[in-house]
Amino acid sequence: MSKSNFTRRGLLKTSAVAGGAALAAPRFFSPSWADGHAGYLNAPQGDTVTLGFNVPQSGPYADEGADELRAYELAVEHLNGGGDGGMMNTFSSKALTGNGILGKKVEYVTGDTQTKPDAARASAKSMIEKDGAIMITGGSSSGVAVAVQALCQEAGIIFMAGLTHSNDTTGKDKKANGFRHFFNSYMSGAALAPILGNAYGTNRKAYHLTADYNWGYTTEEAVRTSTEAMGWETVAAVKTPLAQTDFKDYVAPVLQSGADVLVLNHYGGNMVNSLTSAVQFGLREAQANGQDFQIVVPLYSRLMAKGAGENVKGIFGSTNWHWSLTDEGSKAFVKSFGEKYGFPPSQAAHTCYVQTLLYADAAERAGTFNPCGIGEALEGFEFDGMGNGPTLYRAEDHQCFKDVLVVKGKENPSSEFDLLEIVEVTPAAQVTYDASIFGGELGTCNPGA
């Protein structure tokens, strides 16, 4: 079977969603996509369909991976008609009925990415070849996401990215078989800069500590570009190994550098450890250049805030979603997750749950598990009811565009989970960019047969 081209839709829908226009009704596809079991890899043969959940169960992002897996299991429960249905009740598309996917009960297999691209590829490859997974999803590292996305493109399987924030995933390394719901580094920089300027002024000198892989690079670049545009100066940018656990030697030079802001382009356990070192060195009480020294964490999560404890108080960052949102979709998800696990979900859990439902919905609307039919159903898809307001899956790069949250560590938390407060909901229009700016070629869909 020859490779199929996804359709290409224009950029006009981005501005429509960003401006709050009404969503179009979900499209359903012609019977040509409802092609039974022919012509694509791992076409389900019985009354079940297998999804592959590839998450970091070890390594620096293991806490995120554990919450991702909880969300995936909840999504499967809801798809199969269990529980209260969660966001299936608030999702603007009504294609999902709790009858599995296309009438097939959803089963799943899991793997450990170890937060290492090679291990993640090996795990995904095993799920595709040995377990017959029709879709792979997961990851809490952009290096992992890019590697697994490329593997899925080669194999002919849809990849629904989990937590991946680097511009590269839907930028220079984008693939036709890959889709990302999570926001990216550019969006963090665009949302954060105005808040940082208002809070700390435009005459600041920043020192960046950056995780030494693609996520760290693009996040540093995004924050540098956006803050330098408003007058900040970058005095140093130092790379730190992803496996680093002790950051004292990296933090020690900061106060002698002339900087008055430390930007921690770290995530998960890396951020907890580097922030702890910064506090131990007295940066939170220090003064530099006649100003109070400040720390910024561009990408936040509740799990990171919990790990860092009181050290996060007052520190700004951005996040894809937060459990305190009051829209109906967020409330439904928090209720379902909380009743099942006893605590609120993280942003990692949210994006993974949503990606699973979006995949299932696309299959229902397309009438097939063929990745090319599912891809066509996702491209240009506008939806609501799943947190973050009206959302667009842009056709040109398979990136979702939605509102972005700027948060800061809460000064007086009411519980162990109430650690971040939302200080700004940045409209999607403010973080939207031209699809061509990061380069790369989307290519064509590969059905794998």
Side-chain angles (χ1 to χ4, degrees):
M1 179 176 178
S2 61
K3 293 182 180 180
S4 306
N5 284 305
F6 285 147
T7 57
R8 295 284 171 261
R9 299 175 181 86
L11 289 168
L12 295 178
K13 289 186 177 180
T14 300
S15 58
V17 171
L23 297 177
R27 295 190 308 124
F28 289 81
F29 294 84
S30 67
S32 62
W33 274 125
D35 55 5
H37 305 308
Y40 56 95
L41 183 66
N42 289 346
Q45 299 298 316
D47 57 1
T48 63
V49 59
T50 300
L51 308 182
F53 300 150
N54 205 23
V55 304
Q57 299 181 55
S58 58
Y61 297 165
D63 285 348
E64 308 285 338
D67 225 33
E68 289 182 338
L69 194 54
R70 294 182 189 107
Y72 285 134
E73 291 171 349
L74 182 62
V76 169
E77 179 181 321
H78 289 167
L79 288 171
N80 286 334
D84 60 10
M87 282 184 167
M88 284 171 50
N89 300 314
T90 60
F91 188 13
S92 56
S93 173
K94 301 304 177 186
L96 299 174
T97 63
N99 189 33
I101 306 175
L102 294 175
K104 297 182 184 294
K105 181 180 179 181
V106 181
E107 297 183 343
Y108 64 90
V109 292
T110 66
D112 182 8
T113 70
Q114 303 175 42
T115 320
K116 298 176 181 177
D118 288 346
R121 281 181 66 102
S123 176
K125 190 171 187 288
S126 176
M127 288 190 280
I128 294 168
E129 295 180 352
K130 295 181 180 180
D131 301 307
I134 191 74
M135 181 269 278
I136 300 294
T137 179
S140 288
S141 155
S142 292
V144 162
V146 167
V148 175
Q149 180 172 255
L151 172 75
C152 290
Q153 179 70 38
E154 295 161 8
I157 293 291
I158 287 289
F159 176 62
M160 300 295 283
L163 195 161
T164 168
H165 187 243
S166 171
N167 295 333
D168 294 350
T169 309
T170 47
K172 72 179 184 65
D173 295 309
K174 58 181 171 279
K175 302 294 182 186
N177 283 48
F179 292 83
R180 172 166 60 179
H181 170 263
F182 206 73
F183 73 148
N184 64 19
S185 301
Y186 176 97
M187 298 178 192
S188 286
L192 269 175
I195 304 301
L196 297 177
N198 288 336
Y200 303 142
T202 57
N203 182 27
R204 284 285 184 167
K205 298 181 185 300
Y207 191 113
H208 287 255
L209 289 180
T210 300
D212 192 9
Y213 74 110
N214 60 350
W215 170 72
Y217 309 151
T218 66
T219 301
E220 177 193 308
E221 179 186 22
V223 176
R224 286 183 63 166
T225 300
S226 60
T227 54
E228 288 174 0
M230 68 182 186
W232 285 26
E233 177 186 346
T234 302
V235 299
V238 178
K239 304 297 186 290
T240 63
L242 182 58
Q244 190 73 27
T245 57
D246 185 346
F247 289 86
K248 292 193 295 291
D249 290 343
Y250 291 97
V251 172
V254 174
L255 279 178
Q256 285 72 49
S257 69
D260 47 48
V261 177
L262 173 62
V263 182
L264 294 176
N265 301 302
H266 291 155
Y267 195 74
N270 289 158
M271 173 270 183
V272 172
N273 292 332
S274 61
L275 178 59
T276 299
S277 291
V279 172
Q280 290 173 345
F281 271 86
L283 267 62
R284 298 220 63 182
E285 294 80 33
Q287 282 211 330
N289 304 321
Q291 305 182 89
D292 290 341
F293 199 95
Q294 303 295 340
I295 301 174
V296 177
V297 177
L299 180 60
Y300 248 137
S301 80
R302 179 186 65 77
L303 297 175
M304 290 159 55
K306 181 180 179 181
E310 292 193 356
N311 292 340
V312 303
K313 289 185 176 182
I315 292 180
F316 286 106
S318 68
T319 190
N320 187 68
W321 176 86
H322 193 258
W323 66 268
S324 66
L325 288 170
T326 59
D327 62 278
E328 292 304 312
S330 294
K331 289 192 296 184
F333 179 52
V334 171
K335 177 177 180 290
S336 295
F337 192 98
E339 288 179 352
K340 187 173 181 68
Y341 300 113
F343 47 84
S346 64
Q347 64 172 352
H350 171 256
T351 204
C352 290
Y353 177 91
V354 169
Q355 282 284 70
T356 309
L357 263 57
L358 286 170
Y359 172 84
D361 173 79
E364 291 284 351
R365 289 185 293 111
T368 184
F369 290 104
N370 187 315
C372 299
I374 288 170
E376 184 176 331
L378 286 171
E379 284 190 334
F381 180 48
E382 299 174 10
F383 60 92
D384 202 351
M386 303 186 88
N388 302 92
T391 303
L392 167 71
Y393 237 134
R394 186 162 66 179
E396 287 71 22
D397 53 3
H398 297 182
Q399 173 64 54
C400 271
F401 288 88
K402 56 193 182 300
D403 295 346
V404 170
L405 307 181
V406 176
V407 296
K408 70 175 179 178
K410 207 163 190 177
E411 295 287 352
N412 297 297
S414 60
S415 73
E416 62 179 307
F417 308 113
D418 181 36
L419 303 176
L420 299 175
E421 62 178 302
I422 299 170
V423 297
E424 181 78 15
V425 178
T426 305
Q430 187 174 319
V431 299
T432 297
Y433 53 87
D434 187 274
S436 66
I437 67 171
F438 300 122
E441 293 293 333
L442 191 65
T444 56
C445 166
N446 176 17

